[in-house]
Amino acid sequence: MTRFIWPLLITLGFTIVLAGCGSMKTKVPVSADAGKTAEAILIDTDGTEIGEAHFTDADGALTISLRAEGLPPGTHGIHLHEKAVCTPPDFKSAGSHFNPKGKQHGFDNPKGFHLGDLPNLEVGEDGKVAVKVTMHDVTLQPGKPNSLLDGDGSSIVIHAEADDYKTDPAGNSGDRIVCGELKSK
Ligand SMILES: [Cu+2]
Ligand SMILES: [Zn+2]
């Protein structure tokens, strides 16, 4: 009996080692391509899709292209939040602002700012918006401390009011009215 088991175990061991090498080989090109683009479908407090945001990580900068419609006209705070969970209607599930450096909120805050802070969104009378924003301190590349695609992901959130750029933790920007979960592409 035992003289059959030992060769079997040795064969199994080799198979596992070989399988390990095989999966490493296939993973390398995938991770080299990963972390370049992501997208987020934007939903409102009813869970209705109202737009989308595209994220492109290239040459050390992250560009966000966002378009949406059906928004209340005026100035709205917009941020990257720390979790890729958009549960309507209050979107509290998205957590706080993306803040891997442990700063306070706001570009005008001496103790600021969060890496997830963004310039306010200006929505026209028609309720539509189309903007492009470039950020330099965040990435989509996995494994980096400033990666939006970290373990729990990230989301992009639009607020009911303008961000005052200084009040911690969210610039007095009011309710969360739109949310989109970042998905790697
Ligand atoms: Cu926010
Ligand atoms: Zn913030």
Side-chain angles (χ1 to χ4, degrees), residues 78-79 81 97 157 159 170 173 176:
I78 175 169
H79 318 111
H81 284 239
H97 294 182
V157 173
H159 291 256
S173 52
R176 303 172 181 193

Side-chain angles (χ1 to χ4, degrees), residues 26-178:
T26 53
K27 269 177 192 164
V28 170
V30 172
S31 67
D33 269 357
K36 298 275 169 68
T37 58
E39 71 177 6
I41 302 296
L42 306 177
I43 57 169
D44 66 11
T45 54
D46 295 326
T48 305
E49 186 180 330
I50 58 129
E52 58 195 38
H54 294 270
F55 300 77
T56 307
D57 193 337
D59 304 324
L62 180 78
T63 304
I64 306 174
S65 299
L66 179 147
R67 58 139 216 102
E69 53 189 37
L71 291 167
T75 308
H76 298 274
I78 175 169
H79 318 111
L80 299 167
H81 284 239
E82 63 186 348
K83 286 183 238 171
V85 186
C86 291
T87 308
D90 61 17
F91 301 124
K92 294 246 162 64
S93 56
S96 306
H97 294 182
F98 181 65
N99 184 27
K101 289 186 171 174
K103 300 276 184 110
Q104 288 192 10
H105 173 80
F107 298 120
D108 296 340
N109 182 335
K111 292 179 181 167
F113 49 90
H114 299 144
L115 289 190
D117 291 352
L118 286 165
N120 281 325
L121 212 56
E122 301 294 339
V123 178
E125 285 303 315
D126 60 1
K128 292 181 181 175
V129 69
V131 290
K132 196 174 261 197
V133 189
T134 301
M135 307 177 79
H136 293 279
D137 297 325
V138 294
T139 181
L140 298 176
Q141 291 170 40
K144 301 263 176 80
N146 60 338
S147 177
L148 294 174
L149 300 176
D150 53 3
D152 55 4
S154 301
S155 55
I156 188 162
V157 173
I158 302 173
H159 291 256
E161 314 289 339
D163 182 338
D164 66 14
Y165 296 142
K166 55 178 184 282
T167 308
D168 201 53
N172 274 334
S173 52
D175 289 345
R176 303 172 181 193
I177 59 171
V178 171

